[in-house]
Each structure stands twice: as structure tokens, then as C-alpha cells.
Amino acid sequence: MRNVVIDGAKLPLNFDNSQAFYRVKDNGDGTSTASYEFQFRTKPAFLGIIAKGGFKKQLSGTLVGLKHYIETGERVTGGTNKYKEIKKKYPKATLIKT
């Protein structure tokens, strides 16, 4: 699935060049692997270096929330104490591409 970023008042993004991709791969053994990729450009460009670290943290949290929801049916929202509890139960997401 592809998401196109069209709004983000607090983000210094160039919305014409920012998009996210969700992928789910069947591993063929009854399990699957979820991935999330965010391609972005910032305005001005040098802010991309600063924004990259924050986006990595957010993407990892998205995958933890997705895993928890799939396994339990319980919705997860960021910025809550509940998310902090849930995050401790799961291994850290593996960063494949930077």
C-alpha cells in the first residue's frame, strides 16, 4: 500500500516528494513480515538530516503498534503510557534501509 503525504503543518516536508509504503510479505511458513518505508524530502533540504532520526523512531513505533493490533485486536496510539508498556513486549524493529 502506498500513502502520499498531503498535509503536515508541523513537518518541514516537500509534500510533492514524500510518500510511505507498507508491505506485507508471506514467508511461506505460516508467518509474514511487515515493512514500512518512508521516502521524503524536506524544505529546506538540510532539515532532512535532522528529521531522519525522528522519522526512524516513528516508523519503528508504527510496526510495533501493527504487530500488537494483529496479535491482540487492541488499538495502539502513540504518545500514551499504554504504548510505552506495549513497546517493551516486542523486539525492536530491524532497520533494513536507511
Side-chain angles (χ1 to χ4, degrees):
M1 178 174 76
R2 176 178 173 237
N3 283 346
V4 178
V5 181
I6 60 170
D7 187 23
K10 294 182 180 182
L11 301 174
L13 293 177
N14 175 333
F15 297 114
D16 293 334
N17 293 296
S18 298
Q19 57 191 339
F21 297 92
Y22 295 87
R23 293 181 180 90
V24 178
K25 177 186 165 205
D26 182 347
N27 295 329
D29 62 359
T31 66
S32 59
T33 300
S35 64
Y36 185 86
E37 176 185 353
F38 187 36
Q39 299 172 348
F40 65 94
R41 298 230 190 272
T42 56
K43 294 188 296 189
F46 75 87
L47 289 177
I49 295 167
I50 297 167
K52 188 175 184 178
F55 287 145
K56 282 182 185 179
K57 186 176 177 182
Q58 288 175 338
L59 296 176
S60 177
T62 297
L63 293 175
V64 167
L66 176 62
K67 181 173 179 57
H68 183 76
Y69 177 74
I70 289 169
E71 292 177 350
T72 68
E74 180 182 13
R75 288 183 165 208
V76 180
T77 57
T80 65
N81 289 334
K82 184 69 173 173
Y83 171 73
K84 291 176 185 176
E85 289 175 31
I86 291 167
K87 187 170 98 169
K88 293 176 187 177
K89 296 179 184 180
Y90 296 98
K92 187 175 180 180
T94 302
L95 179 64
I96 296 172
K97 183 177 179 182
T98 61

